[in-house]
Amino acid sequence: MHPMLNVAVKAARRAASVIQRASHNVDTIRVEKKQHNDFVSEVDRAAEEAIISTILDAYPKHGILAEESGAQGLGNAEFEWIIDPLDGTTNFLHGHPQYSISIGLLHKGQIQQAVVYDPNRNDLFTASRGVGAFLNDRRIRVSKRIAMNECVIATGFPVTDQSYIDQYLGMLKDVLAKTAGVRREGSAALDLCNVACGRVDGFWELNLKPWDIAAGSLIVQEAGGIVTDLKGEDGWLESGDIVAGSPKVLAQLLHTLAPHVG
């Protein structure tokens, strides 16, 4: 395992310890509302602190972009860690066991290392650029399905910013009509990992943040999948509009979404 990936795994496991201890007493957790349907808890912040301290102990000159504490040390940093300490906070606060820790490492504009950890299943997804994607040390690949009517597609609903709800509902209607089903589970990082290991055949969502998708996108790519924006281009990390899947499924999914893309 690459040394930087090893540090990311260590950081993810430390964050998971914080999260899972708190999961037994979710009713006592202090929660703040950042915006409509967007919450942050003391657990998010504690898990993020555990990740950042682990990374900076090993690489004190690296930059950080984290969901709760924002950017630090990015000015002259060659490496940038993109961190979501608890992807699926709403699930976590409701005792719904679908959430994850996501850590990606950006170097010269490319994501080079990625970890997504599901502490409930003890599923550790990792990837290094050019080396492949793994689930608990086992190599993973995207689904081999080709026919859209046999595919299950993951997505995420627009719950914080509903200004594009009509656009999204049009997409959802057309995807439902052409596939075997759509799943919405509440953690984009895990959705991408599920594409990578073939549990679902594709994924799309709008208006995500870099920490939601940085790590998961590399895991998909290293598992043989493709990640694009809604127009089939590379601006997904900046726009937050993302589509992922195996090459043949991705092409059909993009075609299905195209009438709703401005």
Side-chain angles (χ1 to χ4, degrees):
M1 185 179 288
H2 190 283
M4 292 183 185
L5 184 62
N6 195 42
V7 168
V9 170
K10 183 179 179 181
R13 291 196 183 279
R14 285 186 175 175
S17 295
V18 172
I19 293 166
Q20 293 305 85
R21 281 198 303 270
S23 70
H24 302 295
N25 298 287
V26 292
D27 291 342
T28 66
I29 295 171
R30 292 194 303 273
V31 180
E32 299 173 19
K33 188 173 182 179
K34 294 192 285 187
Q35 58 177 316
H36 176 66
N37 285 338
D38 189 9
F39 303 95
V40 58
S41 74
E42 59 185 324
V43 178
D44 295 70
R45 293 195 173 103
E48 186 170 287
E49 288 174 10
I51 293 169
I52 292 172
S53 65
T54 303
I55 290 171
L56 293 183
D57 281 349
Y59 302 106
K61 295 184 179 180
H62 285 193
I64 301 287
L65 177 63
E67 178 174 12
E68 307 309 337
S69 58
Q72 55 181 289
L74 294 184
N76 299 310
E78 185 178 357
F79 294 90
E80 175 185 341
W81 295 86
I82 305 178
I83 300 163
D84 192 336
L86 181 50
D87 185 40
T89 298
T90 301
N91 283 348
F92 170 76
L93 293 173
H94 284 76
H96 184 67
Q98 183 75 10
Y99 49 83
S100 62
I101 298 114
S102 176
I103 304 172
L105 177 62
L106 195 70
H107 181 233
K108 295 182 178 179
Q110 276 196 327
I111 302 161
Q112 297 291 333
Q113 310 292 336
V115 171
V116 174
Y117 183 46
D118 176 351
N120 291 295
R121 295 184 179 89
N122 195 28
D123 278 352
L124 179 69
F125 294 90
T126 59
S128 295
R129 183 167 294 278
V131 176
F134 298 84
L135 168 55
N136 298 331
D137 300 321
R138 176 180 59 84
R139 184 73 178 261
I140 55 175
R141 301 291 294 177
V142 293
S143 166
K144 295 180 180 178
R145 292 184 188 87
I146 295 174
M148 276 289 279
N149 62 1
E150 297 176 355
C151 289
V152 170
I153 306 298
T155 189
F157 301 152
V159 293
T160 57
D161 178 2
Q162 298 187 354
S163 63
Y164 56 93
I165 187 69
D166 291 335
Q167 177 192 19
Y168 174 79
L169 289 175
M171 293 177 174
L172 179 62
K173 180 180 178 181
D174 286 354
V175 173
L176 282 168
K178 294 184 178 182
T179 63
V182 173
R183 302 289 182 266
R184 195 278 185 181
E185 299 187 356
S187 170
L190 283 181
D191 288 335
L192 287 164
C193 289
N194 285 337
V195 172
C197 69
R199 292 174 180 168
V200 297
D201 304 289
F203 168 71
W204 96 97
E205 192 167 349
L206 286 67
N207 200 34
L208 291 170
K209 301 298 184 183
W211 46 79
D212 297 318
I213 54 181
S217 64
L218 179 63
I219 294 169
V220 170
Q221 291 168 334
E222 289 297 317
I226 299 176
V227 179
T228 74
D229 64 12
L230 292 171
K231 297 181 180 179
E233 298 172 355
D234 291 331
W236 47 270
L237 192 61
E238 293 75 27
S239 71
D241 299 337
I242 188 169
V243 187
S246 65
K248 291 187 177 179
V249 170
L250 181 98
Q252 295 174 80
L253 186 53
L254 285 169
H255 181 74
T256 303
L257 299 173
H260 308 282
V261 177

